[in-house]
Amino acid sequence: MRPRRRETPKTGANESASRSVRYRNLVNPFEPTRIFSDDQIESIHATALGMLERQGMRVLSPRGRAALAAAGAKVDDSTQMVYVEPGMVAEALKTVPAEVELVARNPARSCRVGGRHVVFAPVAGPPSVSDLTGGKRTGSLEEYRNFVRLSQAYDVIHVNGQMVEPQDAPLPERHLQTSLAQLSLSDKAPYFYCRGTAQLADCFEMARIAHGIDEATFRSKPVCYTICNTNSPLQLDIPMTEGILEFAANGQLVIVTPFTLAGAMAPITIAGALTLAHAEALLGITLTQVVRPGTPVMYGSFTSNVDMKSGSPAFGTPEYTKAAFGAGQLARRIGVPWRCSSATASNAPDAQSAYESQMSLWGALLGGCHFILHSAGWLEGGLTASYEKFILDIEMLQMFAEIFQPVTTSADDLAVEAVVEAGIGGHFFATAHTMQRYRDAFYTPLVSDWRNYGAWSDDGAKTATERAGAVARRTLESFQTPALDPAIEEALKDFVARRRSEGGAPPVS
Amino acid sequence: MRPRRRETPKTGANESASRSVRYRNLVNPFEPTRIFSDDQIESIHATALGMLERQGMRVLSPRGRAALAAAGAKVDDSTQMVYVEPGMVAEALKTVPAEVELVARNPARSCRVGGRHVVFAPVAGPPSVSDLTGGKRTGSLEEYRNFVRLSQAYDVIHVNGQMVEPQDAPLPERHLQTSLAQLSLSDKAPYFYCRGTAQLADCFEMARIAHGIDEATFRSKPVCYTICNTNSPLQLDIPMTEGILEFAANGQLVIVTPFTLAGAMAPITIAGALTLAHAEALLGITLTQVVRPGTPVMYGSFTSNVDMKSGSPAFGTPEYTKAAFGAGQLARRIGVPWRCSSATASNAPDAQSAYESQMSLWGALLGGCHFILHSAGWLEGGLTASYEKFILDIEMLQMFAEIFQPVTTSADDLAVEAVVEAGIGGHFFATAHTMQRYRDAFYTPLVSDWRNYGAWSDDGAKTATERAGAVARRTLESFQTPALDPAIEEALKDFVARRRSEGGAPPVS
C-alpha cells in the first residue's frame, strides 16, 4: 500500500520531542528464541564433556595446569594436556553466580549481568580507526580517548571497552594509558586486557584507586571485566590463562570466549563449531571456579563462519545468527550468563555493515544474551573502529532499548475515547489523547532522517553514514568529562607517572 | 576480541561455492515472539469488538453495506454506518481457512499461505523509481516490467507485485498492461489492484487465460491476491469494498490491511493503534466470509508511527517492531493468517534503509508472519521503488531463508572426529569433514563483500549499495523469460489489445 504523507500537524507537535534516552538498566522482556530441541542441546553438552574428558585441552600456563590438577583434573605436564571429567565441570558450574552486579565508580553506572538484564559494550581490539573525512589510519591514544568519550556519552553503552589499539603508546605502558583514559574520562566499568600478571596488577591497583577501596573490598565485588579467548581448537594460552587466574583470584568478571570460525579453527558445521566452543568455554569456566568458587564468569560465544572463497572470516551471516541462538541455549543449559557480539565483515560503514550488525544483534538479543560485546563501532571484521559505525550502532542499540520497553494496555492506552473524538475518517493530531502524549510518545532518532525527499534533498541528500559522522563530531565537541574527585584523579595520574618511570610492564605472550 | 585473518585455504576451497538458492517453500521454525500477555490480547480483542458494535464503521459502498446487513449487521444507509455484533464476527472467523495454497501458473511457483509458511512479496505502490545512476524518476511501464523481471529472477520472492506505478500507461488500461507483464514475464501468482469491478473482471479473465481454466475452476482456488486497505479511522471506501466483494465472490486471496499510523490516523499509543486496526481488519475479514464462507483471507497489519516533528510517516521504528509482534499475536488469536511488511522511511538505499528494513523484517518474522509485503525494493516510505534496495533486500531475505533452515546435530555434525583430525591448535581447512562440505556449507552472499580491506579497496572500495546496483543490472541483462504456452501468450495479448481498443476500464474511486 502507498502511505499518505501528512502535513506538519498544526497542534504544536513540531516542537522538539523530548523522549528520554536514559537506557541505563535494560531488561529484555522476550522469551529466548530456540533453534535446538532440548535433546539436541543435551547431545551437544554431552559431546563437549566427552571431548574434555577424552581428548582434553592444552593449557600452556603451568600455573593453570596446576590449579586444574589440584581440583582433580588429569594433567600431563610433558604434553601440557589437561583432561577434565564431567563431574568436575558439574561441580564448578554449581558455584557460578547466575547474576552479578558490575560496579562502576559512579553507582548510577553500575549494571547487572545475568537474569533478564542486557549490557551493551563497545567494540574491542581494532588496530585501526576510520572515518569518512580522515580515512583509515593506525589507532592512537587520542583516538582511543575519543572512543572512551563516545562510549561515555551514550547511556545505552553500559561499560567501557578497548575500542582501538593505541599504537603510539609503548607496549609496557599502554595498559596504564588506556586504564587512565577509561577511569578518568568515563565513570563506567572498565575492560582490562589480559597481557600478563604484572599488567593486571597495575590495572587492578588503578581500579582500586578510582573506587577509593582497599584490596579486600576490591575482591568482594567486580568493578572491571575482561575477555579470555581460547585458542581454538582446544588450547588456552599463557596470557589468557593468567587472566583467568588473576581475575578469579580477585573476584573480577571474566568472560571466557572461544573464537570458533566454522571451517577454519572449528568444524565447518554449526553444531560442530558450537560443540567445540562449548567444550572450551566449559574448561575456562571450570578454571574460574576452581580458583575461587563464586567468581563472576560469563559464557562467551563467538561462532561464525569463514568465506570459503577467500578464507576471510565473515560475521553477521545466517550461520552466525543461528549459532547465536544455539549458544544462548547452551549457556542457559549450564546456568551461566551469556556474552555474544555484534559484528560485520563489511569494510565500509554502509548498508552491509548495518544489515550484518542487525543480524548479529537480533541473534544475540532474541537469543537472550546478557552482554553484547562489540555493540558499537566494529567495522571490517573487527580490524577497524569506525566513528560513523559507532553512531549508527548507537542508533540501533537505542532502538532495541525502546523495543524492550513494555507496551501498556490500560483503558486509556486502548484509546476508545480518542477514536470517538477523532471521528470516522478523522485524524488524531489534535485529540486530547495525542496532545497529552506527543512530546515523548515515540523514540526520537539520532541518525535516521524521516523528512520527506524534498526536505532531505534540499539539505544535501546526506546518507545515514554521513549524518552519523556529523553526530560523532558533535558528540565529541560537546563532551562533558564526568565528575571525579580531584584527589583520585591526581592519585591515578601519579600512579601512571610512577609506573611509567619504572618502565611499566611488558606484555606476556 | 580480534579476529585472525587466514590465508586462502590450500584445499581447493577457493573454487566457486554452489549453495542452492532455491528458497521456494520457506518454513519458519521459530516460536513467535510475544509482546503482550494473553490477558492483554483479550483486552484488545474485546475492545475492538466493542468498537465495531457501538461506534461502528462507515462503509461507503452500498453493495458492501447490503452484504453486511443481509448477514445481520445493523446498517444505517443515511450515515453509511455499519454496526456489527461480536457474535457475527465470531461466526465469520469460523470459516476463514487457516492455510491455503496460492496457485501459480507454474505449479512449482505455487506457495502456501498460513501455518509455518513464509511468503515474501515485493514492494507495491511507489509512484517513482530510482537507482544511483539514473536518480529518482516517475515510474513507467518499462520500469514496471524490470521489477517484474527482478521479482521473477529470485526464488526468495514468491509472488508478483505492483512494484511501481507505470504512469505512462493511461489509467483505463494500466491494469491490462500490468497484468500482462505479471502473467507473461513471470510465472508467480499476480497481485491485482482493486480499482473497481470492471478492472477486476479484466484481471480475473486474464488470470483464467494464463492458467487455461474456466470460471468454476478459477473460483475453486486462489490464483491471485490483493490488498484491501481500510481508511483509518473506521472507514472502508468503495474500491476497497468492491475489491473484497469481487475477490471473495471468486474465492481469490484478499489481504485486509488497515494502515494505522499512530499519532495521525490512529491513536498515538501502540495499543490504541493496534486496537483500531484490529477492529477494522475484523470488519473486512467478516465481509469476506459473509460474501462467501471459506474465502481465503489474511489479517493485514501496518501499524507504525509518524515523526511528531515533521508529521511524516516513519517505518522500521521501535514502535513498528513492537506493533508487529502485537499484530501477530492478534492474528493468531483470531486464527487468521497474518500479513506484515518490510519498510523504511529512508530516502536513500543506505545504512538507515538497511537497519529499518531489518527492524521490520525481524518484527515480522520473529512475530510469526506468513506473508511479508514490500519485502524487496521499498524506499522513501514507499514512494520510491529502488533497484539497489531491491537487491539489498533480496540479500536480507535470502539470509532469513538460510536462518530458517534447521541445524542438524547428528554425530557427524558434532564433528568429534574432525576435532581429533585437526588436532590441538590445528585447523580444519583440510580435514575430511571440511572437504566433504565446504562447497555448500555456508550461504553465499549476493552483495556482501567479505574480502579483506586491501582486496576491497583495490577493487574500487565500492559500498554495498553500489554493488547492489551492479547486481540489479546483471540480473536484468541475463533475465530469462519463463516458459509460457505461445497460444496462451497470444490469447493474453489479444485480450489486452481488444480491451484497449474498447477503451479499457477507468478506475473507480
Side-chain angles (χ1 to χ4, degrees):
Chain A
M1 68 159 314
R2 191 183 322 168
R4 287 161 283 174
R5 294 278 175 177
R6 294 276 182 168
E7 296 302 306
T8 300
K10 294 167 185 67
T11 57
N14 53 348
E15 289 167 22
S16 178
S18 58
R19 190 172 175 91
S20 165
V21 289
R22 269 177 279 112
Y23 300 119
R24 292 198 183 179
N25 293 291
L26 298 181
V27 172
N28 183 344
F30 301 114
E31 278 304 305
T33 296
R34 295 153 46 94
I35 200 162
F36 290 121
S37 68
D38 289 346
D39 284 351
Q40 287 180 305
I41 288 294
E42 286 312 308
S43 172
I44 291 173
H45 183 60
T47 304
L49 287 173
M51 214 176 260
L52 285 182
E53 186 176 17
R54 287 185 289 274
Q55 195 172 354
M57 197 155 156
R58 182 180 287 149
V59 177
L60 301 185
S61 154
R63 276 176 63 207
R65 290 197 301 277
L68 288 161
K74 197 177 108 192
V75 169
D76 181 340
D77 279 322
S78 70
T79 59
Q80 304 174 310
M81 293 300 297
V82 174
Y83 305 87
V84 177
E85 286 187 359
M88 182 174 156
V89 174
E91 203 56 35
L93 290 175
K94 282 183 191 163
T95 56
V96 173
E99 192 176 319
V100 72
E101 186 167 26
L102 181 59
V103 180
R105 70 170 173 86
N106 173 355
R109 300 295 196 173
S110 296
C111 50
R112 295 200 71 78
V113 172
R116 286 279 189 177
H117 304 279
V118 173
V119 172
F120 289 121
V123 64
S128 301
V129 298
S130 79
D131 58 20
L132 288 187
T133 48
K136 183 177 169 180
R137 54 202 182 264
T138 298
S140 70
L141 207 44
E142 192 46 37
E143 309 266 18
Y144 182 93
R145 292 191 190 108
N146 276 341
F147 278 99
V148 173
R149 293 179 182 108
L150 290 177
S151 299
Q152 172 69 14
Y154 291 97
D155 269 9
V156 81
I157 297 292
H158 302 103
V159 294
N160 270 300
Q162 295 281 5
M163 286 72 70
V164 64
E165 196 61 30
Q167 300 193 51
D168 53 348
L171 282 170
E173 62 182 56
R174 195 174 291 173
H175 66 292
L176 300 166
Q177 301 275 21
T178 54
S179 298
L180 181 63
Q182 291 191 73
L183 292 168
S184 63
L185 294 173
S186 168
D187 56 9
K188 303 179 184 180
Y191 171 6
F192 296 139
Y193 271 143
C194 294
R195 291 175 175 168
T197 302
Q199 286 200 357
L200 283 177
D202 287 339
C203 294
F204 289 168
E205 178 60 21
M206 289 180 74
R208 286 188 289 266
I209 295 170
H211 281 259
I213 54 176
D214 62 15
E215 285 208 28
T217 309
F218 176 69
R219 288 211 182 94
S220 71
K221 58 181 184 183
V223 302
C224 58
Y225 73 99
T226 198
I227 311 290
C228 291
N229 295 126
T230 55
N231 299 103
S232 303
L234 296 174
Q235 193 161 276
L236 196 56
D237 69 20
I238 288 175
M240 291 297 152
T241 312
E242 289 192 350
I244 291 176
L245 297 174
E246 294 303 321
F247 267 72
N250 286 280
Q252 302 300 308
L253 177 61
V254 190
I255 304 174
V256 179
T257 309
F259 179 42
T260 43
L261 277 178
M265 52 277 234
I268 195 165
T269 49
I270 293 175
L274 284 174
T275 303
L276 176 63
H278 192 61
E280 296 176 2
L282 285 173
L283 185 108
I285 292 166
T286 297
L287 179 54
T288 63
Q289 303 305 303
V290 158
V291 172
R292 175 171 152 158
T295 292
V297 63
M298 300 191 74
Y299 179 93
S301 74
F302 205 140
T303 296
S304 194
N305 55 298
V306 291
D307 175 8
M308 294 311 290
K309 283 195 277 192
S310 67
S312 291
F315 302 101
T317 63
E319 292 77 16
Y320 183 101
T321 306
K322 293 161 91 164
F325 289 149
Q329 289 185 262
L330 289 165
R332 285 189 294 283
R333 167 64 181 80
I334 60 170
V336 179
W338 172 42
R339 169 245 148 156
C340 195
S341 304
S342 173
T344 168
S346 183
N347 289 296
D350 61 358
Q352 179 187 339
S353 79
Y355 65 69
E356 288 183 337
S357 292
Q358 281 273 321
M359 286 288 182
S360 309
L361 281 167
W362 279 100
L365 293 168
L366 264 291
C369 190
H370 301 103
F371 188 105
I372 295 95
L373 193 69
H374 306 308
S375 59
W378 165 295
L379 198 65
E380 200 202 326
L383 296 175
T384 293
S386 157
Y387 284 89
E388 291 91 0
K389 183 64 173 17
F390 192 97
I391 298 297
L392 290 169
D393 286 334
I394 293 289
E395 177 86 305
M396 296 188 221
L397 300 182
Q398 292 191 160
M399 291 169 80
F400 278 104
E402 287 286 342
I403 290 172
F404 290 161
Q405 309 304 313
V407 181
T408 49
T409 54
S410 70
D412 204 33
D413 294 315
L414 298 188
V416 173
E417 277 143 48
V419 175
V420 172
E421 186 185 341
I424 306 290
H427 69 73
F428 292 77
F429 284 125
T431 61
H433 190 259
T434 299
M435 293 305 290
Q436 283 156 20
R437 290 169 179 78
Y438 74 88
R439 283 180 192 81
D440 65 351
F442 307 128
Y443 172 62
T444 306
L446 185 66
V447 176
S448 298
D449 191 327
W450 293 341
R451 293 175 299 174
N452 66 32
Y453 188 88
W456 171 77
S457 291
D458 292 347
D459 197 21
K462 294 187 187 75
T463 64
T465 305
E466 293 169 313
R467 297 193 301 273
V471 172
R473 288 188 292 276
R474 280 202 307 274
T475 305
L476 290 173
E477 282 161 16
S478 62
F479 180 72
Q480 304 274 332
T481 304
L484 177 60
D485 180 336
I488 288 179
E489 190 171 7
E490 200 58 33
L492 283 171
K493 287 181 175 164
D494 286 351
F495 179 83
V496 169
R498 176 170 67 78
R499 292 290 296 122
R500 287 179 72 185
S501 73
E502 292 166 0
V508 167
S509 63
Chain B
M1 68 161 315
R2 191 183 323 166
R4 288 162 282 174
R5 293 279 174 179
R6 293 274 182 169
E7 296 301 306
T8 301
K10 294 167 185 68
T11 58
N14 53 348
E15 288 166 22
S16 178
S18 58
R19 192 173 173 90
S20 167
V21 289
R22 268 176 280 112
Y23 300 119
R24 292 198 183 179
N25 293 292
L26 298 181
V27 172
N28 183 343
F30 301 113
E31 278 305 305
T33 297
R34 295 153 47 95
I35 199 161
F36 290 121
S37 68
D38 288 346
D39 284 351
Q40 287 180 306
I41 288 294
E42 285 312 307
S43 172
I44 291 173
H45 182 60
T47 304
L49 287 173
M51 214 176 259
L52 284 182
E53 185 175 18
R54 287 186 289 274
Q55 195 171 353
M57 194 154 159
R58 183 180 286 149
V59 177
L60 301 185
S61 155
R63 277 176 65 206
R65 291 198 300 277
L68 288 160
K74 197 177 108 190
V75 168
D76 181 340
D77 279 322
S78 69
T79 59
Q80 305 175 310
M81 292 300 296
V82 174
Y83 305 87
V84 178
E85 289 186 358
M88 183 174 154
V89 174
E91 203 56 35
L93 290 175
K94 283 183 192 163
T95 57
V96 173
E99 192 176 320
V100 72
E101 187 167 23
L102 181 58
V103 180
R105 70 169 173 86
N106 173 356
R109 299 295 195 173
S110 296
C111 50
R112 295 201 71 80
V113 172
R116 287 276 189 180
H117 304 279
V118 174
V119 172
F120 289 121
V123 63
S128 301
V129 298
S130 78
D131 57 22
L132 288 187
T133 48
K136 182 177 170 181
R137 54 201 182 264
T138 299
S140 69
L141 207 42
E142 191 47 36
E143 310 265 18
Y144 182 94
R145 292 191 190 108
N146 276 341
F147 278 99
V148 173
R149 292 181 183 109
L150 290 177
S151 299
Q152 172 68 15
Y154 292 98
D155 269 10
V156 81
I157 297 293
H158 302 104
V159 295
N160 269 300
Q162 296 280 3
M163 284 73 68
V164 64
E165 197 62 29
Q167 300 193 52
D168 52 348
L171 282 170
E173 61 183 58
R174 195 174 290 173
H175 66 294
L176 299 166
Q177 301 274 23
T178 54
S179 298
L180 181 63
Q182 290 191 74
L183 292 167
S184 62
L185 294 173
S186 167
D187 56 9
K188 302 178 185 180
Y191 172 5
F192 296 138
Y193 271 144
C194 293
R195 291 175 175 168
T197 303
Q199 286 200 358
L200 282 178
D202 287 339
C203 295
F204 289 168
E205 179 59 22
M206 289 180 73
R208 286 189 289 266
I209 294 170
H211 280 259
I213 55 175
D214 60 17
E215 286 209 25
T217 309
F218 176 68
R219 288 208 182 96
S220 71
K221 58 182 185 183
V223 301
C224 58
Y225 74 98
T226 197
I227 312 290
C228 290
N229 295 126
T230 55
N231 300 102
S232 304
L234 296 174
Q235 192 160 275
L236 197 55
D237 70 18
I238 288 175
M240 291 297 152
T241 313
E242 290 193 349
I244 291 175
L245 296 173
E246 295 302 321
F247 267 72
N250 285 279
Q252 302 300 309
L253 177 61
V254 191
I255 303 174
V256 179
T257 309
F259 180 43
T260 44
L261 277 178
M265 51 276 232
I268 195 165
T269 48
I270 293 175
L274 283 174
T275 303
L276 176 63
H278 191 62
E280 297 176 1
L282 285 173
L283 185 108
I285 292 166
T286 297
L287 179 54
T288 64
Q289 304 303 304
V290 158
V291 172
R292 175 172 154 158
T295 292
V297 62
M298 299 192 75
Y299 179 91
S301 74
F302 205 141
T303 296
S304 194
N305 55 299
V306 291
D307 175 9
M308 294 312 289
K309 282 195 276 190
S310 68
S312 290
F315 302 101
T317 63
E319 293 78 14
Y320 183 100
T321 305
K322 292 161 90 165
F325 288 149
Q329 290 185 261
L330 289 165
R332 285 190 293 283
R333 166 62 181 81
I334 60 170
V336 179
W338 172 41
R339 169 244 147 157
C340 196
S341 303
S342 173
T344 168
S346 182
N347 289 296
D350 61 359
Q352 179 187 338
S353 80
Y355 64 68
E356 288 183 337
S357 291
Q358 281 273 319
M359 285 288 183
S360 309
L361 281 168
W362 279 99
L365 293 168
L366 265 291
C369 190
H370 302 103
F371 189 106
I372 294 95
L373 195 69
H374 308 308
S375 59
W378 165 296
L379 198 65
E380 200 202 326
L383 296 174
T384 293
S386 157
Y387 284 90
E388 291 91 0
K389 184 64 173 18
F390 192 97
I391 298 296
L392 290 169
D393 286 334
I394 293 289
E395 178 86 305
M396 297 188 220
L397 301 182
Q398 293 191 159
M399 290 169 80
F400 278 104
E402 287 285 342
I403 290 171
F404 290 162
Q405 309 305 313
V407 182
T408 50
T409 54
S410 69
D412 203 34
D413 294 315
L414 298 189
V416 173
E417 277 143 48
V419 175
V420 172
E421 187 186 341
I424 306 289
H427 68 73
F428 292 77
F429 285 125
T431 61
H433 190 260
T434 299
M435 293 306 290
Q436 283 155 19
R437 290 168 178 79
Y438 74 88
R439 285 181 190 80
D440 65 352
F442 307 128
Y443 171 62
T444 307
L446 187 63
V447 176
S448 297
D449 192 327
W450 292 342
R451 293 175 297 173
N452 67 32
Y453 189 87
W456 171 78
S457 291
D458 292 347
D459 197 22
K462 293 187 188 77
T463 64
T465 305
E466 292 169 314
R467 297 193 302 271
V471 171
R473 288 189 292 276
R474 280 203 307 274
T475 304
L476 290 173
E477 281 161 17
S478 63
F479 180 72
Q480 304 273 335
T481 305
L484 177 60
D485 180 335
I488 287 178
E489 188 170 10
E490 200 58 32
L492 283 171
K493 287 181 175 164
D494 286 352
F495 180 84
V496 169
R498 176 170 67 79
R499 292 290 296 122
R500 287 178 72 185
S501 74
E502 291 167 1
V508 166
S509 63

